[in-house]
Amino acid sequence: MKILVINTGSSSIKYVVYEMEGHQVLAKGLVDRIGDPASSLTNSFYTPEEHKQKIEISIPNHAVGLELVVKTLMDPEKGIIKDTNEISAVGHRVVHGGERFSAPVVIDEEIKAKIKQLITLAPLHNPSNLEGIKVAEKFFPNAKQVAVFDTAFHQTMPPKSYRYPIPNWLYTEEKIRIYGMHGTSHSYVSKQLIAQLNKPVENTSVISIHLGNGCSMAAVHGGKCIDTSMGLSPLAGLMMGTRSGDLDPAVPFYLGTTLGMKLEDIDKMLNKESGLKGIAGSNDMRDVLEQRETGNANAILAIDMYVQRIKKYIGAYMAELGALDAIAFTAGIGENSVKLRELVCEGLGVLGIELDKSKNAASGSGNRRISTDNSKVEVWIIPTNEELEIALQSEKLL
Ligand code: ADP
């Protein structure tokens, strides 16, 4: 069975085609800069060997972009399908599923209407996700269209974790609460991590630490999320590439009333100009770590702040879980930065977390344990695979 996974952004479509038997990637690519004269499609086929191709062509909208993807996948020479009917399901990443969706669903008119209603909660993402669904329905009319929500994994949180201590009506009438993001990644990583433990799932307590451009953590007990660091939006929690993460809610008032900033400028500043970028001038962790090595004071401070916030959440989640079997690092920074993992684990012996420095520094791929043999809490690197998780969840629904 072949499944196409689509992640539609405002100006991009990322896609992967899987042969589900053996979870083999057949093709993978990106339609980039939709609506810009410099748009392009980059596609790679993986059978029999990798073949990468970039087409630079004007792509005015998502429909033209997906049409180009379909044509490429059906290429008479290198293509991996002869007919669009060979695709059994299209799995869509949908950012916000609100309280309505705690699991993936097969998309119909009612589901699309609901995703549209949820635009108020994810104004930057749900409209493009919906557009992706509509164009995929056109090109793959016989495939099941499946929505996999980034918030769904966190729907098992109890009210004490997801409610904000603000007047009740804001929750009951406006649904203002903690939803959490990166759910597909936390779901995949925590499942992989739990599978490494020699324990019945229901007795396990783990923490998943996703450190990419966006950063978030999830506390998972018995395979179910009990708390997470992002909130109503992805702005809350850890310090990120360009997002501030947690701050005193009075800061935006101060910026508005005392500095006279407009709401949209505050929004932009906290989402796009803060985090590592705000403190160290770059949102790329590699740059900031390099600057730190040269003794740059802002880079040193940025890393100290970034690491301290992760440690705070580890401590808080351990207290909430009441036990901790393992933690896992994932995403661009979590999977690749030896230094960052070392700094996060430094001094956490008191919590039973002991990193094996040579295992941490060893190059490798796949899931690997990097704690000492005596560490009470196991420390792992688990490469995330959100696309495969979407494909697996879509397959399950068929
Ligand atoms: P996104 O959230 O956009 O998917 P990624 O998961 O790709 O982001 O993570 C991007 C981050 O990973 C960037 O800050 C980048 O600097 C960082 N990164 C990638 N490789 C390394 C590395 N070897 N060392 C440190 N940071 C890295």
Side-chain angles (χ1 to χ4, degrees):
M1 181 198 294
K2 292 186 180 69
I3 291 185
L4 166 68
V5 174
I6 291 190
N7 182 354
T8 314
S10 58
S11 62
S12 67
I13 306 172
K14 278 190 210 153
Y15 63 93
V16 185
V17 182
Y18 287 98
E19 173 51 64
M20 295 311 289
E21 209 183 305
H23 303 156
Q24 193 193 357
V25 176
L26 300 177
K28 191 175 182 169
L30 168 71
V31 183
D32 205 10
R33 297 188 172 208
I34 294 172
D36 185 305
S39 40
S40 62
L41 163 69
T42 311
N43 178 75
S44 295
F45 290 122
Y46 293 90
T47 52
E49 74 273 340
E50 186 172 349
H51 170 80
K52 192 169 178 175
Q53 177 192 19
K54 183 168 181 180
I55 307 168
E56 290 180 353
I57 184 171
S58 166
I59 302 171
N61 54 46
H62 290 81
V64 173
L66 194 63
E67 189 176 5
L68 196 60
V69 172
V70 172
K71 265 196 197 152
T72 307
L73 297 178
M74 289 174 50
D75 181 86
E77 229 184 277
K78 301 242 180 252
I80 45 129
I81 50 169
K82 293 202 165 40
D83 191 294
T84 53
N85 289 334
E86 288 175 46
I87 300 288
S88 307
V90 183
H92 296 267
R93 174 181 183 230
V94 180
V95 165
H96 219 302
E99 285 192 320
R100 165 70 173 75
F101 300 108
S102 55
V105 284
V106 174
I107 298 167
D108 59 17
E109 290 308 314
E110 189 230 315
I111 301 285
K112 277 188 280 182
K114 193 67 204 173
I115 295 172
K116 194 169 173 194
Q117 271 175 24
L118 290 166
I119 284 176
T120 45
L121 290 173
L124 298 180
H125 297 103
N126 273 26
S128 6
N129 299 158
L130 201 54
E131 183 61 21
I133 292 169
K134 286 181 186 156
V135 297
E137 282 175 335
K138 188 172 148 206
F139 291 109
F140 299 94
N142 296 321
K144 285 256 183 303
Q145 306 287 332
V146 176
V148 178
F149 300 91
D150 230 22
T151 48
F153 180 64
H154 305 302
Q155 280 296 306
T156 49
M157 287 193 294
K160 66 182 176 188
S161 295
Y162 71 69
R163 287 289 300 273
Y164 287 120
I166 53 178
N168 272 322
W169 69 270
L170 288 165
Y171 170 65
T172 52
E173 289 168 36
E174 297 298 327
K175 293 289 170 235
I176 294 181
R177 51 159 282 179
I178 291 171
Y179 291 98
M181 309 282 148
H182 290 150
T184 311
S185 174
H186 289 303
S187 163
Y188 179 83
V189 169
S190 59
K191 258 191 281 180
Q192 292 278 322
L193 182 59
I194 290 167
Q196 315 291 339
L197 305 171
N198 229 343
K199 256 186 155 180
V201 176
E202 55 277 18
N203 298 339
T204 56
S205 294
V206 302
I207 298 174
S208 159
I209 309 174
H210 179 115
L211 306 175
N213 269 315
C215 303
S216 71
M217 288 172 57
V220 180
H221 179 70
K224 295 197 162 70
C225 178
I226 63 153
D227 205 353
T228 194
S229 61
M230 284 178 169
L232 173 73
S233 82
L235 185 55
L238 301 175
M239 178 169 164
M240 313 185 205
T242 61
R243 296 186 204 126
S244 63
D246 292 340
L247 36 88
D248 180 344
V251 170
F253 306 138
Y254 186 92
L255 300 177
T257 48
T258 309
L259 302 187
M261 284 177 71
K262 287 201 225 108
L263 274 182
E264 69 239 47
D265 293 334
I266 298 174
D267 187 343
K268 186 168 163 229
M269 193 183 82
L270 297 179
N271 274 294
K272 305 238 180 277
E273 291 153 13
S274 298
L276 291 174
K277 191 173 180 196
I279 303 295
S282 168
N283 63 321
D284 192 306
M285 181 54 90
R286 284 163 293 201
D287 293 346
V288 184
L289 285 169
E290 242 176 70
Q291 286 299 311
R292 178 179 179 272
E293 288 304 310
T294 69
N296 179 302
N298 287 337
I300 293 171
L301 174 64
I303 298 294
D304 284 351
M305 291 168 68
Y306 185 93
V307 168
Q308 193 206 39
R309 280 157 174 75
I310 300 169
K311 285 177 190 271
K312 261 196 205 178
Y313 271 94
I314 292 176
Y317 285 170
M318 198 169 172
E320 268 183 65
L321 288 161
L324 186 58
D325 297 304
I327 63 174
F329 289 96
T330 195
I333 298 167
E335 290 167 33
N336 296 306
S337 180
V338 174
K339 189 75 204 168
L340 223 287
R341 293 191 300 262
E342 187 185 312
L343 291 169
V344 168
C345 294
E346 205 170 72
L348 294 190
V350 66
L351 302 183
I353 296 174
E354 277 176 30
L355 193 72
D356 181 321
K357 284 195 180 175
S358 62
K359 282 188 190 156
N360 181 44
S363 54
S365 61
N367 300 344
R368 50 214 193 270
R369 184 177 160 172
I370 53 170
S371 45
T372 63
D373 292 343
N374 292 328
S375 182
K376 274 200 210 139
V377 176
E378 296 184 15
V379 183
W380 285 76
I381 299 170
I382 308 267
T384 193
N385 196 338
E386 288 163 284
E387 293 81 14
L388 178 59
E389 179 70 11
I390 292 173
L392 290 169
Q393 295 196 12
S394 304
E395 183 187 33
K396 224 168 154 188
L397 266 191
L398 301 187

